[in-house]
Structures are given as structure tokens and as C-alpha cells.
């Protein structure tokens, strides 16, 4: 059995991490149903894409998706992207994979990456914790190339596949 510290023991104190959460099942379904049937359409007897998103929102005590986002596939897609971003924040590489799957990485990567510069200051009404927070562009900005959509395989791994060609840019 593997323990939290990564060491193996002879006991059976299993620690499990969920491979997929119910929220991800609903959001994956919402994305697929929206693409196939639109925001309010569904397979016979199943919930609609909009209902699936609202289930996730209700769990967090949030109101339903606003009506202005329910008129087209594109409008609801924007809400689904937002819901996935919020729901899976700090949970591994969901966002990394999502933005490549949706082919929105170039737009996101071209935005100026910002950091937070924190300075101490006297405590007053405007700064009750004695800190000033200033957003500034970070020193190293990302550059995007379309070749980044494709994974690179190690030379030895790539050699195992007869017809495989590695991404030439890598």
C-alpha cells in the first residue's frame, strides 16, 4: 500500500484520490450535450446541458445561469468554460488541458501575465493589514506556438511506434 509520504508498507492503509469528481461528470456532460443539442435540448429522458451546469451551481449555493447565456451554443460554451475554470481551480492540470482542447490557448497565452507585488505600509483605514497589493506584469511573458498543442515523446519511446513522427518543433 502507498502512504501519503510515498513510501510503501506491508499494511493496507490505502489512500485514494478521486480520478474524476461528480462535478466533472456533470460539466463534461454539459459540454457534450450543449454541442450536440444546444443549451436546452437533450437526449430523450436526460437532463439538458443547462440543467447540468445549474446542478453544479446549486451545489455551491449559486443562482442559475443567467438567461442571456442560454440562447446559443456559443453563449453557453462561455459559461461552461467559466464553470470549469472555477470548479477545478488548483486541481491539477484541468485548465491546461481544457484550453488546449478548446483551442483557446493562443488567446489566453497572448494576454499579459500579471503578478502581485506586496509591500508593507503603515496600518490605516485603507490598508487594515499593513500591506499594499500592486498588480504588475511578470518579468517572463509566455510565448505561444501552435506546435504546443501536441505532446512530445522521448526519442526511445517514439522509436517503439512504426509510423510515429515526433513534433518537429520539439
Amino acid at each position: 500500500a502507498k502512504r501519503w509520504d510515498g513510501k510503501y508498507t506491508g499494511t493496507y492503509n490505502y489512500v485514494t484520490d478521486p480520478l474524476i469528481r461528480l462535478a466533472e461528470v456533470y460539466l463534461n456532460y454539459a459540454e457534450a450535450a450543449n454541442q450536440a443539442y444546444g443549451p436546452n435540448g437533450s437526449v430523450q429522458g436526460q437532463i439538458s446541458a443547462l440543467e447540468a451546469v445549474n446542478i453544479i451551481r446549486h451545489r455551491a449555493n449559486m443562482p442559475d445561469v443567467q438567461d442571456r447565456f442560454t440562447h446559443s451554443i456559443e453563449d453557453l460554451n462561455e459559461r461552461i468554460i467559466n464553470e470549469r475554470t472555477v470548479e477545478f481551480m488548483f486541481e491539477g492540470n484541468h485548465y491546461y488541458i481544457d484550453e488546449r482542447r478548446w483551442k483557446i490557448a493562443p488567446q489566453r497565452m497572448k494576454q499579459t501575465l500579471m503578478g502581485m507585488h506586496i509591500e508593507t505600509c503603515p496600518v490605516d483605514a485603507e490598508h487594515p493589514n499593513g500591506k499594499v497589493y500592486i498588480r504588475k506584469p511578470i518579468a517572463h511573458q509566455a510565448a505561444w506556438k501552435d506546435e504546443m498543442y501536441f505532446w512530445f515523446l522521448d526519442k526511445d519511446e517514439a522509436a517503439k511506434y512504426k509510423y510515429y513522427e515526433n513534433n518537429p518543433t520539439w
Side-chain angles (χ1 to χ4, degrees):
K2 192 172 185 179
R3 300 186 325 200
W4 278 108
D5 60 8
K7 297 178 184 173
Y8 289 90
T9 66
T11 62
Y12 291 96
N13 299 338
Y14 289 106
V15 176
T16 59
D17 275 341
L19 297 178
I20 188 168
R21 292 194 301 117
L22 185 57
E24 185 175 1
V25 173
Y26 276 113
L27 290 172
N28 287 350
Y29 174 82
E31 186 178 343
N34 186 44
Q35 290 299 316
Y37 306 105
N40 295 302
S42 67
V43 176
Q44 185 178 8
Q46 303 300 317
I47 62 175
S48 69
L50 182 59
E51 290 170 322
V53 173
N54 284 333
I55 287 170
I56 299 303
R57 293 180 62 83
H58 292 166
R59 180 195 45 114
N61 295 321
M62 297 296 293
D64 286 348
V65 172
Q66 295 176 9
D67 286 340
R68 63 189 173 117
F69 298 113
T70 63
H71 300 299
S72 71
I73 291 172
E74 294 76 21
D75 290 342
L76 189 59
N77 269 346
E78 288 301 315
R79 291 291 85 208
I80 292 170
I81 288 170
N82 183 70
E83 292 298 322
R84 288 186 66 88
T85 302
V86 170
E87 185 67 33
F88 304 124
M89 184 174 26
F90 308 121
E91 290 187 26
N93 58 0
H94 283 283
Y95 188 73
Y96 177 87
I97 292 169
D98 284 348
E99 72 178 5
R100 281 151 180 77
R101 179 166 48 87
W102 294 320
K103 302 280 187 179
I104 61 172
Q107 298 92 310
R108 298 287 173 100
M109 298 289 282
K110 289 178 182 174
Q111 296 173 356
T112 301
L113 299 176
M114 303 297 285
M116 188 66 67
H117 182 72
I118 304 170
E119 296 178 359
T120 57
C121 68
V123 175
D124 58 20
E126 188 179 349
H127 308 99
N129 63 354
K131 304 264 191 269
V132 176
Y133 300 92
I134 305 166
R135 285 179 44 119
K136 292 184 177 182
I138 62 172
H140 178 73
Q141 294 294 315
W144 178 260
K145 297 176 187 161
D146 283 343
E147 293 84 6
M148 296 169 132
Y149 279 124
F150 305 103
W151 292 98
F152 170 80
L153 288 181
D154 181 75
K155 183 174 63 172
D156 295 332
E157 189 66 27
K160 295 177 184 177
Y161 303 99
K162 185 175 182 179
Y163 299 107
Y164 179 79
E165 286 185 37
N166 236 337
N167 183 346
T169 305
W170 294 106

